[in-house]
Every structure is written in C-alpha cells, then in structure tokens.
Amino acid sequence: MAYDPDGKSEHFARWLVRLRWRGIVLAAVVLVLLSAGTGLVRSPWLCALVLGILAAANLALDHQLRRGNVSDSSLFGQLGLDVAAITVALHLMGGVENPFQVYYVFPTIISGIVLPRSAAYGVAGLASALYLAMGLLEYAGVLPHHDVGPLPFWRATPAGQGPDQFEDAGYLLGAACVLLSTLLVATYLTTQVAERLRAQEHELAASRDRIEAVLRALGEGVAFFDHDGRLVLANAAFDRLVPATAGLRLLERAPAALRPPLTEALGRLAAGARHETFEAAADGRVLACGLSRAPGGVAWVVEDVTDRREAQARAETERRLMDLGVLAAGLAHEVLNPLASVASSVQLAQEAAGGAEPVDAPLRQARRRIAQLAEVVRSVADLARPPAARGAPSPLLEVCRQAIEQAREERPGAAEIALDAPAGGPTVVMADGAMSTALKNLLTNAIDATDGEGPVTLRVRAEPDAAVVEVEDGGPGLGAEPAARLFVPFFTTKPPSRGTGLGLPIARSIVREHGGEIAVDSAPGRGTRVTVRLPRQEEDAA
C-alpha cells in the first residue's frame, strides 16, 4: 500500500490520532475503576502496559504526520495493533466468555473508512484470527484462562490445562464464525458507504476545480461574501479590480466611490430583491457591478467597462458626425447655390457701376463677405464628412510641396515658406489630396500669425516608427488658454474678416483619419510650432 498522493492518508491519520487518544484515556479510566476491588481485571499492570504500547504507537503515528510520510500501510499497522490490544484485554478478562468481543467492530469500522477495501477486509480477518487463536490456545491449555471475576463461566486454570468444563470445541468455533461474519458484514457496509462518499467527494473536488478554472479564465471579477460580509472566495480578476487587504469585509473592501451605490444595492437585496446592478466611476475607471443573493451570502461580479463605454461614446460621436455630415452636405447644396447666384448679381452690379463711387466700395465688400460665407459652408462640410479611405503610399515630401503651393495661392504676396527636409523623405499611406489640405491649413495659419511677413518653416523628418512634419512660425505666440482651444470648431484668434475657426479642426480630423497625431507648442513671444506625427509605411520604416 503506497503513499497516498491526494493526502487522504494524512487526513485520516489526524482523525485516527485524535480518536485513539480519546479511546486510550477512556480505557485508562475504565481500567482504574475496574481494578478497584471488583476483581474483573486479573492483571491490571499488564493491561496498563498494553495501553502504554498503544499510546507510544499513537505518538509514533503523530510523529509520522509531522514528517509528512504517513501511508495506508501505517494506518493498517496501527489498526492491527488496536485489534491485538483488544485481544489481550479479552484474554485477561474472560477470553471468549467476555461479551465485549463486540469491540472488534470499532477498528473494523474505522478501517472501512480510512483504508482501501482489501486492507479493511484484512483488518476484519486479523481480528477473527486473533480471537480464534486466543480461544484455541486457552482451550489447549497453552495460555491460562482467566474467568470474568464474579460471573465465571469457566474456572480459572493454569497454563498447560484447558478448561475442563468446556468439553465442546464447537462453541469456540461457532463464536469465531459469528464474529467473523459480523465483522465482514460491518466491513462491507462501511466500505460501501465510504467508497460512495469518496466518489462524491472526488466529484465535488473535480467540480470545484472546474469552477475555479472558469473563474480564473474570466475577465470579470467574481467574489462571494458570507452574511457577515467576510470574503469566502474571489478570483484574480476581482483582486485586481477591487484590491484590498485580506480580511476586510465587503463594504470595507470596496473603493470609496463604490460604497454608496453598493450600500443601496445591499439594502435592496436585504429587502427581498434577488439581483441588483449599478455602474460607478472609481480611480479613473468605470466599474459595472452586479450583486445576487445566494445561499449563505452574496455573490458580487464586477467588470471594468471603461474601454467599452469610451468605445460607445466614440461610436455615438461618429454617428452624430455622420448625421452632421449629411446635414452639412444639404446645407452646402442649399446655401452655396443661392450664394453663387448672389455673387454673380453683385459682380454684374459692380461691372455696371464701372468703378464709380460710392457704389463700388460696398459692392467689393459684399463680394468678400459672400466669398467668406461660402468658405465657411464648405469648411463645415469638410469637417463633418465621413472618414476618407486611407489611400495609397505617397512620398510625404511631395505632399508637403503641394501644400506649400496651395498656401502661396491662398496667401499671395506673403513671405516665402522655408522647406527643411532630407532628399527623398519618408513614405506615408495617404488619401489623395486630404493630407495636402491639412498641411495647407497649418501653413496659412502660420502665415496669418506673422501677418504675411514670416518666417514660416515646414520641416520633415523620419523617426523609427513615424514620419514627422513640423510647421513653425515666428509670430507672437499664444497663451495656454487660447492654445488649448485651437482645435475647437469656430474658435479663432484672427479678425472676423480673416478666419473661420475651422482650419485646424479640419487638419486634426484629416490627421486622425490617417492614424496620426497632431500637437501644438506655443508660448507668448516665441511663436507657434504644430507637430504632425504619421505612421510610416512598413517597407519605408524598415
């Protein structure tokens, strides 16, 4: 019988050690009482010696437990020693006459619980064999027979003389057979019950392992608290989402931001609700919590839904932008056509006036205002349009040159734009014309910031994972508050006749469509630098 790898032998051994200590103490008390003038115990010192041997064996088993090397063989030996001790006690107090032979049932039942089936039957067979051997040796006169004191059935005889009143050995054999059959039935029933209990225990352990594996694999935190709020179990995700010192109760473990809604949910559960859910922000995260009443306590499931809520917010923003795009397209169609007609009429009136004052100046002003209004409408349509396709790989330097030309056309007479870029330059996947529009908006803003006098510089450089474009001007710069609002639609630091406040928002929208980032660095007295970072094409980056 090998060492039990599941640790069951050690578990049973601890139980057996405690049980035997109680039995030894009880037997010692009974021995003292029976030895005090009753005459039932013929050799009390020999019985005391047997109890001492049992106590020493129990100490040895406890020592094995502490060393962790208990096996089924150890338990079999201990129970066999118990059977031998009972046999000695029976011999000293009447032998087969003693009705307490039923005590053999106790180690037999214990063996059926703690030992495998074959070993348990071995203990029953050993008990029957020792009982029969004791009776035969007494009957043959090899061992002296001790009567049961005041209730003798046999007369006490010295060794070498059998009990002369016991003329029929059939009594002895019958008693041994009855004992054997009783012990075998007890062993069978005990092992059947024990094996079924072990099978159920193994199934429960397997179910527990499966449940724990599922809990470990869950991204949601799961925990169970008893009715006193003490933590019973929790998976790693729960410990990560709701970290706390071990031993804290439910409300003490929860972050401060979760305690008010958690208290309300627990109150509703106590009032009879079966399940409660809520969301709360804690430590910069959005946690979705669910609490359910369960036998013995409360189950708490918590999930970090921060990314999901942010994704939902982005999806809602994109949906609204698409709706705005449809509205802007309709606006452009309904407004630009009448504006074109008005602009034509103003131009005809201006031509008819032939430059005569005071008519010509107001007409020129009207044409400028109409052109500005048309630009606003087109910019709104551009800002709200759906994301464009990413396009194809294009040399970034070529796109920068196109943007410079477009800026010169929109701001004729402005100072030259300096281009600082290495030959060739990085390659970026871009939609046709979109990126040049974004860079053109940055350049025209830089020109306006310097009142057309410069300097304005466009730089291009390649980094390991990005292509970088910088547009820097020598203007007066901006304070922290206006710099933080540069990408807000319709916010502008220019005079009403020169800016719509849509150039930078459009530029940022285009850059983001291409997977890039845009940032502004500005301070009063040192100008403004806008940096655009775009992902490089893989072949180019390599």
Side-chain angles (χ1 to χ4, degrees):
M1 289 172 283
Y3 173 71
D4 179 9
D6 295 331
K8 296 300 181 185
S9 294
E10 292 190 8
H11 171 74
F12 289 135
R14 292 188 183 93
W15 174 71
L16 182 59
V17 166
R18 293 192 297 269
L19 184 64
R20 292 178 80 198
W21 281 127
R22 294 187 182 99
I24 291 170
V25 171
L26 179 61
V29 172
V30 171
L31 178 61
V32 171
L33 294 177
L34 293 180
S35 300
T38 64
L40 291 177
V41 181
R42 299 297 183 183
S43 302
W45 293 110
L46 184 57
C47 291
L49 177 62
V50 172
L51 289 179
I53 293 173
L54 289 177
N58 215 37
L59 287 173
L61 180 59
D62 187 62
H63 180 66
Q64 283 184 304
L65 269 174
R66 297 178 187 277
R67 295 177 58 187
N69 60 351
V70 176
S71 66
D72 289 339
S73 298
S74 302
L75 298 180
F76 181 85
Q78 294 288 336
L79 291 169
L81 186 60
D82 291 344
V83 169
I86 293 174
T87 305
V88 172
L90 288 175
H91 168 64
L92 296 176
M93 290 184 289
V96 294
E97 294 176 295
N98 194 321
F100 290 104
Q101 58 184 291
V102 71
Y103 279 8
Y104 281 119
V105 172
F106 295 127
T108 303
I109 292 176
I110 293 172
S111 66
I113 295 173
V114 304
L115 293 177
R117 181 194 294 261
S118 59
Y121 280 111
V123 173
L126 176 64
S128 301
L130 290 177
Y131 179 77
L132 179 60
M134 175 194 67
L136 290 175
L137 291 174
E138 287 185 9
Y139 180 74
V142 176
L143 293 176
H145 174 70
H146 304 278
D147 60 32
V148 197
L151 300 174
F153 292 95
W154 292 353
R155 183 177 66 252
T157 57
Q161 299 181 18
D164 52 8
Q165 288 126 326
F166 192 17
E167 298 176 353
D168 188 0
Y171 172 80
L172 177 61
L173 294 175
C177 290
V178 170
L179 177 63
L180 177 61
S181 61
T182 301
L183 297 183
L184 290 178
V185 170
T187 302
Y188 173 77
L189 294 176
T190 305
T191 53
Q192 287 292 315
V193 173
E195 287 175 358
R196 290 193 178 187
L197 290 176
R198 288 192 190 104
Q200 292 178 359
E201 184 180 1
H202 289 158
E203 180 59 31
L204 288 174
S207 299
R208 183 178 62 249
D209 292 341
R210 288 192 291 267
I211 292 173
E212 289 179 353
V214 171
L215 291 178
R216 285 194 300 269
L218 285 176
E220 297 84 0
V222 181
F224 185 82
F225 293 83
D226 64 17
H227 288 306
D228 294 327
R230 290 188 294 264
L231 179 65
V232 177
L233 63 87
N235 65 352
F238 186 88
D239 291 331
R240 184 180 67 254
L241 294 172
V242 191
T245 305
L248 293 181
R249 297 177 186 267
L250 193 154
L251 285 174
E252 296 170 343
R253 184 183 181 100
L258 289 182
R259 290 175 189 171
L262 187 60
T263 303
E264 294 178 5
L266 290 173
R268 289 190 290 269
L269 290 179
R274 298 290 302 174
H275 184 70
E276 290 292 329
T277 60
F278 64 89
E279 286 189 9
D283 301 326
R285 300 173 300 172
V286 180
L287 300 180
C289 299
L291 285 87
S292 296
R293 280 195 297 146
V298 175
W300 181 6
V301 179
V302 59
E303 181 183 5
D304 187 346
V305 295
T306 305
D307 294 339
R308 186 187 307 172
R309 295 295 177 261
E310 290 178 352
Q312 290 174 347
R314 289 194 298 269
E316 177 65 17
T317 301
E318 291 177 0
R319 185 189 65 79
R320 292 187 178 184
L321 285 176
M322 292 181 67
D323 293 342
L324 180 59
V326 174
L327 177 63
L331 177 67
H333 180 269
E334 296 297 330
V335 174
L336 289 180
N337 288 340
L339 279 180
S341 177
V342 172
S344 297
S345 298
V346 172
Q347 182 178 1
L348 290 175
Q350 188 177 12
E351 292 175 354
E357 295 294 345
V359 177
D360 187 63
L363 290 177
R364 286 199 305 272
Q365 181 69 14
R367 289 187 64 183
R368 285 195 296 270
R369 294 300 186 187
I370 292 171
Q372 185 180 7
L373 180 58
E375 182 181 356
V376 170
V377 173
R378 283 191 292 269
S379 297
V380 170
D382 289 341
L383 180 63
R385 74 185 187 281
R390 292 293 301 275
S394 301
L396 183 57
L397 186 56
E398 188 63 32
V399 174
C400 290
R401 290 194 178 103
Q402 294 175 10
I404 291 173
E405 291 299 323
Q406 294 172 5
R408 286 171 177 166
E409 291 175 2
E410 288 198 10
R411 298 293 188 270
E416 287 295 319
I417 300 173
L419 177 61
D420 181 5
T427 301
V428 177
V429 177
M430 293 178 286
D432 185 23
M435 189 57 62
S436 63
T437 298
L439 297 179
K440 180 264 296 181
N441 288 348
L442 300 182
L443 289 171
T444 54
N445 271 357
I447 292 172
D448 292 342
T450 63
D451 292 327
E453 298 179 358
V456 174
T457 304
L458 188 151
R459 299 186 183 90
V460 180
R461 70 174 186 274
E463 294 184 353
D465 59 346
V468 180
V469 178
E470 293 181 348
V471 175
E472 186 172 1
D473 65 62
L478 298 171
E481 182 178 354
R485 300 182 62 195
L486 283 179
F487 296 109
V488 177
F490 300 108
F491 173 78
T492 181
T493 59
K494 303 177 186 178
S497 62
R498 297 185 59 186
T500 63
L502 293 173
L504 286 178
I506 291 172
R508 183 177 65 171
S509 176
I510 294 172
V511 170
R512 287 182 173 178
E513 288 171 13
H514 289 77
E517 302 173 354
I518 186 169
V520 175
D521 179 21
S522 183
R526 64 176 180 86
T528 301
R529 181 173 65 251
V530 181
T531 303
V532 175
R533 298 175 61 85
L534 298 169
R536 296 177 60 183
Q537 190 185 14
E538 293 183 2
E539 293 81 356
D540 179 67

